[in-house]
Amino acid sequence: MKTGNSQGAPLQIGAKFWAAAVFLILLLSVLFWKSFLPGVVHFSNDGPLGALMADQMNPKDGITGQWIDLNSTGYSAGNTPVGIWSFLWMAMGAVWYSKFITPICLLVLGIGAWFFFRRLGFAPAACLIGSTAATLNTCFLSDACWGVAPHSTAFGMAMLAMGLVVLAQSEAKMLRKWALIALAGMAVGVNVIEASDIGAMFSVIVAAFVIFHALTDREGSVAGRLIGGGVRVAVIAAMAGFISFQSVTGLIGSSIKNVSVVEDADKEQSKAANYQWATQWSLPPKETITLAVPGIFGYRLDSPEGANYWGMIGSDPVWDGYLADGRKGPPPQAMARFSGTLGYTGVLVLLVGAWAVTMAARRKDSIYSPQERKLIGFWLVVAIVALLMSWGRFSGLYKCIYNGYVPILSEMPYVGEAVKYGLAPISKFLSVSRNPTKFLYIVNFALVIIFAYGLNGLWKRHVVAPGVTPRGLFRWLGELGGPDRGWVMGSLLLFGAALFGAFIYTGSQPKLESFLAVVGFPGKIGKTIATFSIESTWVFVVLLAVAIGLLFLTMSGSFSGTRAKWFGLLLGGFTIFDLGRAGSHFIIHWDYIQKYDLAVKNPVIEFLSAHPYENRVAALPFPMPEQFDLLNQMYRIEWTQHHFLYRNIQSLDVIQMPRPPKDIAAFESAWRAHQNEGLLRRWELTNTRYLIGPAAIFEMLNQQIDPVQRRFAVKLPFDIAPKPGLRETSKLEHLTAVANPNGANAIGEFRGALPRASLYANWTVSTNESLILSNLFEASFDPHKSVIVMSDKLAPGTSTNISAGTVEIKGYKPKRVEIAANVTEPAILLLNDRYDENWKVTVDGQPAELLKANFFMRGVKLVPGQHTVVYTFRLPAGALNITLGGIAVTLLLIGYVVISRPKSDATQAKTT
């Protein structure tokens, strides 16, 4: 294949690669310099240090199955994937992982991007600046800083895969060619391992690239090229499935099967409710401007100095109707927003990308080869389609694909059935992903690639092209003609429009403040946010002017000849400044010694962490007076999301469960239908002994919802106060609990909660889950005297004895519970942890039947005598073994590719 730079460069790991790697390492080290300080870790919302320290998250145990025991009554989270991030976690430990996983994953992304651009034959400057733009792209960086850094590794693996495909095109040796294609498949598989459903999205993009890249090859017939591309995709898919088999099966098991959905009697209502759930995290079209103007809608929810995010990503759909109806009446009480990331692409990235698209659209006088022009068009289409999909419920395209229906095509005979069949898996994926804004990753991925094409085109046309000499900016403008003149005029018009828009936006500040007051930012905070938003617009105008100036300087030949290094220094420096400035809002560090009360004693946490597996804790689910808002925030944010996890305290309240299992959802719905009596029964059945709330409320509970048995009492009263030695108390992490006999807050005890483990000589049997769930909430059912077992083999137990012996928990880990039981008569041992078919039970070392008791708890039948009962959790090992085999094959392929490298490549690599 001979189609210009797209034919690929030899596989070289030489000086330029190491220079790029060292540069990216130094750049990330500067940005994340605080991670090198002792006692400091990087912020993570989805994977904070407390979560990493929890026993349930141990990656070594999780490889064979992960059981989350600190949320609700427990649930399976599939396997911990055997991937790059899990290996780093095991190798580095929780603290060092928290410090450095984000910059490491961004480094992988940058290196993957550099490899892809180098394989495309781009100039070193284009490769380095392009890889820098990928590394610092705010969409990727903010996502990594939010706590899902492995996503960046996945994006890097997607780049690597495409680079290997391009490289394979230029290989003469057939075996080596297909080895590279196989390695590309392995890279796609690692992409799925690292990013789960997002990795699956990117695997589709890689497959589309492979097909399109083959079609743009000018050698062979169209049919032959299509077949060749299809074979490559098949090999890539097979190898990707091979290495990611464990992750894919885990994803299906934990995120698709047995996931609760809304099921109303009215199917149309069910469909509408599920669509609203699946599209809650949609990008409002007006927020598309954040691709170019960072900060106009703020950065994070908790950003200081007015930089709070005030857009509507994550808003409940009821807000759509309220805002569209002119904001009549009181604002909805539903969630208005929830986002910790930003989709900013970069001013220069967009501008140079636009130049590349313009040049590629030219039929004559284009710097790009025919194949490159088509590939730029391919990535532009990918970006546009992904952007429309990111709008989610605001996009007709998203709704059509979600419903598996395409107008006109779906009405055609045969074609309609094919369309419906083809869209079915995509529709299913969209129905469980719940986050259309994930498509913004693809948008930025495509735009960064177009940017690299633009850099390379500028380099070839205006820096190193024969006859290009420095003419001076004003002389160049005076002599300008042809298509370049049109580009210059368009750039100036763009700047004029941006300037005009900034003036209009500035004048609308009163209206903006009024809107902010409605959507949750009244008074002074709304004024501060409005001012920050307007200032961000003016900063964009300045940056746009500088970016246009840099582009004009490049086009004028100012960086040609001996000045070529200034192309990389100035454009690269601007890219770093622009993206680094936006990304700095997301690079946040914690003093974890202070945050987790490791140097002070928190009596609430100390009390609850003593034998935490014996009792669950929950917050009172009632609206509280305003003076208890601080307690609610401490419990919901600091304690449940951090301290409880760090110390393995089990809470009935859900910390994170985006896709609740059907049985948990059914149980939660059932108790609400019985109001106060249902709430008491919920705490009884789930072993929820301790409750957090105002101290005075527990006597009220005795009077109002438990007047007969009066089972509530204050256990530990406390107040919330600043931690010793702190001057600043502006954040929740600056506060702690202080024991006080007259404290306004308290840990309350509900003495009616069932023990975690107990014996029942009396039990009933049923095979009807709905009937069991209903009976659990009947007043005639006493859970302290009887248990309901789901079985078609077991006979009921009719003993009237209240006690059938004693039990003691000898050992408790998320995946292994050991109980010593002294049984006086035939009994059911009930363990009030959730049932799952992958739990196994042994009695005195011998396998026994695991029973489902009280709708969703674990049980086992015991005969009289002393017994050792052990519950263990382990997912089937078949998927893990396949993935381990895939890793072994990957290592063999890498070895072969390295050993079989032609000597000419090896010699050239030493100098490049």
Side-chain angles (χ1 to χ4, degrees):
M1 183 179 101
K2 302 294 182 183
T3 54
N5 288 336
S6 293
Q7 66 183 4
L11 180 59
Q12 304 160 4
I13 306 297
K16 288 185 175 62
F17 168 82
W18 293 115
V22 170
F23 172 78
L24 293 175
I25 290 171
L26 292 175
L27 176 60
L28 290 167
S29 296
V30 171
L31 289 173
F32 291 86
W33 67 272
K34 286 187 178 180
S35 290
F36 293 95
L37 299 177
V40 172
V41 295
H42 188 265
F43 163 88
S44 175
N45 180 79
D46 285 15
L49 178 61
L52 300 180
M53 296 292 290
D55 289 343
Q56 66 181 10
M57 296 296 289
N58 187 312
K60 295 180 181 178
D61 288 341
I63 287 174
T64 57
Q66 190 178 43
W67 184 259
I68 305 300
D69 69 324
L70 304 184
N71 275 233
S72 184
T73 52
Y75 64 94
S76 172
N79 300 88
T80 298
V82 181
I84 296 174
W85 68 267
S86 57
F87 172 79
L88 290 172
W89 185 355
M90 287 185 279
M92 299 168 69
V95 172
W96 286 92
Y97 181 90
S98 294
K99 284 175 172 286
F100 295 112
I101 187 58
T102 300
I104 288 174
C105 290
L106 289 169
L107 176 63
V108 174
L109 168 58
I111 290 176
W114 184 93
F115 179 84
F116 179 46
F117 301 150
R118 193 72 181 122
R119 299 289 69 76
L120 291 173
F122 291 172
C127 293
L128 187 58
I129 300 173
S131 63
T132 300
T135 303
L136 301 185
N137 179 281
T138 312
C139 184
F140 303 152
L141 185 144
S142 64
D143 178 66
C145 290
W146 184 245
V148 281
H151 289 175
S152 294
T153 303
F155 307 149
M157 288 295 107
M159 291 278 195
L160 174 63
M162 294 188 299
L164 290 169
V165 170
V166 174
L167 178 62
Q169 285 283 82
S170 60
E171 278 293 335
K173 293 177 63 175
M174 189 60 63
L175 183 59
R176 183 176 166 83
K177 178 192 292 284
W178 287 104
L180 290 170
I181 294 294
L183 278 177
M186 295 301 188
V188 171
V190 175
N191 150 73
V192 174
I193 292 172
E194 298 296 303
S196 192
D197 57 339
I198 297 173
M201 292 165 57
F202 271 85
S203 67
V204 175
I205 300 302
V206 173
F209 170 80
V210 172
I211 294 290
F212 195 83
H213 188 267
L215 285 173
T216 57
D217 188 348
R218 289 187 294 182
E219 296 182 359
S221 65
V222 173
R225 283 177 273 166
L226 184 60
I227 292 172
V231 172
R232 293 186 188 96
V233 168
V235 172
I236 289 172
M239 301 307 287
F242 188 13
I243 197 171
S244 66
F245 193 77
Q246 177 209 29
S247 296
V248 172
T249 54
L251 175 65
I252 293 173
S254 63
S255 300
I256 298 179
K257 293 173 63 177
N258 299 320
V259 174
S260 176
V261 295
V262 178
E263 295 180 354
D264 295 330
D266 188 330
K267 291 185 178 181
E268 288 302 316
Q269 290 184 3
S270 295
K271 189 175 181 180
N274 287 319
Y275 181 72
Q276 290 182 356
W277 180 90
T279 59
Q280 184 165 346
W281 269 263
S282 298
L283 177 72
K286 67 180 180 180
E287 294 189 42
T288 303
I289 196 174
T290 56
L291 292 170
V293 188
I296 190 170
F297 284 92
Y299 289 92
R300 288 167 41 114
L301 291 171
D302 58 351
S303 291
E305 301 175 359
N308 315 73
Y309 174 69
W310 57 273
M312 304 299 286
I313 294 175
S315 64
D316 189 284
V318 298
W319 278 96
D320 301 345
Y322 177 74
L323 296 175
D325 195 35
R327 309 199 291 262
K328 297 177 182 178
Q333 297 302 304
M335 186 167 70
R337 68 191 53 81
F338 190 86
S339 177
T341 60
L342 177 69
Y344 180 54
T345 306
V347 174
L348 190 65
V349 174
L350 291 173
L351 194 63
V352 172
W355 182 88
V357 171
T358 302
M359 287 295 298
R362 293 183 184 179
R363 292 183 177 274
K364 297 180 180 180
D365 193 32
S366 176
I367 193 64
Y368 298 114
S369 70
Q371 184 183 37
E372 288 175 324
R373 292 172 57 204
K374 294 173 183 176
L375 287 171
I376 291 172
F378 167 81
W379 288 114
L380 179 63
V381 170
V382 168
I384 292 173
V385 172
L387 178 61
L388 294 175
M389 292 295 289
S390 73
W391 292 352
R393 67 176 184 267
F394 307 106
S395 168
L397 176 63
Y398 191 96
K399 187 171 185 178
C400 286
I401 296 178
Y402 178 92
N403 292 323
Y405 177 85
V406 178
I408 300 177
L409 291 180
S410 295
E411 303 299 326
M412 297 173 63
Y414 304 111
V415 174
E417 292 298 320
V419 168
K420 184 177 180 180
Y421 179 81
L423 291 181
I426 303 176
S427 177
K428 179 63 176 178
F429 171 83
L430 296 178
S431 69
V432 299
S433 67
R434 202 191 181 184
N435 196 339
T437 60
K438 291 176 180 178
F439 284 93
L440 280 176
Y441 303 131
I442 297 175
V443 174
N444 281 271
F445 188 83
L447 292 177
V448 166
I449 293 172
I450 296 174
F451 172 59
Y453 271 105
L455 290 171
N456 194 60
L458 288 169
W459 176 269
K460 289 164 56 181
R461 186 179 183 87
H462 298 293
V463 179
V464 296
V468 175
T469 57
R471 289 180 285 171
L473 180 59
F474 293 104
R475 179 184 171 189
W476 170 74
L477 288 172
E479 299 174 353
L480 198 61
D484 285 345
R485 180 181 178 85
W487 169 261
V488 170
M489 295 302 296
S491 298
L492 294 177
L493 286 173
L494 173 65
F495 177 75
L499 190 63
F500 179 74
F503 275 114
I504 296 297
Y505 192 51
T506 302
S508 67
Q509 182 163 350
K511 291 183 179 179
L512 177 58
E513 291 177 13
S514 175
F515 175 82
L516 289 169
V518 171
V519 297
F521 300 100
K524 183 178 179 181
I525 181 64
K527 184 177 182 64
T528 305
I529 290 174
T531 300
F532 183 89
S533 178
I534 291 170
E535 289 175 350
S536 298
T537 306
W538 284 105
V539 171
F540 161 73
V541 171
V542 173
L543 291 176
L544 178 62
V546 175
I548 290 174
L550 287 173
L551 200 55
F552 284 3
L553 284 172
T554 304
M555 296 172 68
S556 70
S558 297
F559 303 134
S560 62
T562 58
R563 301 179 183 181
K565 63 182 179 183
W566 290 104
F567 176 84
L569 289 174
L570 291 179
L571 271 69
F574 181 88
T575 300
I576 292 171
F577 172 79
D578 181 24
L579 293 173
R581 181 187 67 88
S584 65
H585 290 270
F586 300 93
I587 301 175
I588 298 172
H589 288 83
W590 280 334
D591 178 344
Y592 73 88
I593 304 296
Q594 175 200 101
K595 184 172 183 66
Y596 289 99
D597 288 348
L598 302 183
V600 299
K601 183 177 181 180
N602 183 325
V604 170
I605 302 303
E606 295 288 331
F607 177 86
L608 295 175
S609 61
H611 307 292
Y613 52 83
E614 292 182 353
N615 311 279
R616 290 189 173 89
V617 62
L620 292 170
F622 311 118
M624 298 296 171
E626 186 176 348
Q627 62 265 33
F628 293 101
D629 283 349
L630 183 58
L631 171 65
N632 183 58
Q633 291 182 53
M634 286 294 291
Y635 177 82
R636 300 286 181 186
I637 299 174
E638 279 298 294
W639 293 349
T640 59
Q641 295 187 40
H642 297 283
H643 293 261
F644 284 13
L645 301 176
Y646 194 96
R647 294 168 177 84
N648 295 299
I649 297 171
Q650 297 188 1
S651 172
L652 183 64
D653 296 315
V654 173
I655 301 168
Q656 188 174 24
M657 191 190 297
R659 303 172 183 88
K662 291 180 179 180
D663 54 359
I664 291 180
F667 180 80
E668 292 296 306
S669 177
W671 76 258
R672 287 186 174 90
H674 292 78
Q675 300 181 339
N676 288 340
E677 293 77 10
L679 179 59
L680 289 175
R681 186 56 55 87
R682 178 198 188 213
W683 288 335
E684 278 185 308
L685 296 172
T686 58
N687 177 232
T688 304
R689 182 179 176 187
Y690 296 121
L691 303 166
I692 304 289
I697 202 171
F698 294 101
E699 180 56 31
M700 293 175 59
L701 294 177
N702 281 330
Q703 296 174 10
Q704 296 182 13
I705 71 172
D706 197 29
V708 176
Q709 301 185 63
R710 300 180 61 83
R711 291 171 289 180
F712 293 96
V714 171
K715 192 71 175 180
L716 177 67
F718 65 90
D719 284 322
I720 296 173
K723 294 179 180 178
L726 289 184
R727 296 180 180 178
E728 181 187 11
T729 57
S730 60
K731 298 180 180 179
L732 292 176
E733 60 199 68
H734 298 153
L735 305 174
T736 189
V738 178
N740 180 0
N742 299 313
N745 315 300
I747 298 177
E749 182 179 16
F750 174 56
R751 293 188 293 265
L754 294 178
R756 181 58 61 91
S758 53
L759 292 168
Y760 290 85
N762 182 280
W763 67 88
T764 58
V765 177
S766 175
T767 59
N768 187 319
E769 285 191 333
S770 298
L771 181 61
I772 293 173
L773 184 59
S774 175
N775 289 341
L776 286 177
F777 293 94
E778 293 295 333
S780 59
F781 174 69
D782 187 345
H784 292 270
K785 296 180 180 179
S786 181
V787 62
I788 306 174
V789 179
M790 184 174 178
S791 176
D792 57 358
K793 300 177 182 178
L794 194 65
T798 57
S799 174
T800 58
N801 292 332
I802 296 177
S803 173
T806 59
V807 296
E808 180 183 2
I809 298 177
K810 291 292 188 180
Y812 193 103
K813 291 292 182 182
K815 294 174 55 180
R816 188 180 189 278
V817 182
E818 181 178 342
I819 300 173
N822 183 12
V823 187
T824 58
E825 59 181 305
I828 299 296
L829 170 61
L830 172 68
L831 177 64
N832 283 305
D833 287 342
R834 182 171 166 267
Y835 172 94
D836 186 279
E837 61 183 7
N838 291 301
W839 277 96
K840 308 300 177 186
V841 61
T842 63
V843 178
D844 301 325
Q846 298 300 313
E849 181 185 3
L850 179 69
L851 301 173
K852 183 184 289 190
N854 283 356
F855 184 65
F856 64 162
M857 299 299 184
R858 292 174 229 154
V860 64
K861 184 181 179 183
L862 299 177
V863 298
Q866 293 186 346
H867 302 288
T868 297
V869 180
V870 178
Y871 293 90
T872 56
F873 179 80
R874 185 184 180 93
L875 295 178
L880 174 61
N881 292 335
I882 292 174
T883 288
L884 292 176
I887 293 173
V889 172
T890 300
L891 295 175
L892 291 174
L893 286 171
I894 292 173
Y896 167 74
V897 168
V898 172
I899 293 172
S900 64
R901 183 172 58 172
K903 292 183 179 180
S904 59
D905 286 2
T907 302
Q908 188 178 2
K910 294 179 181 179
T911 62
T912 59

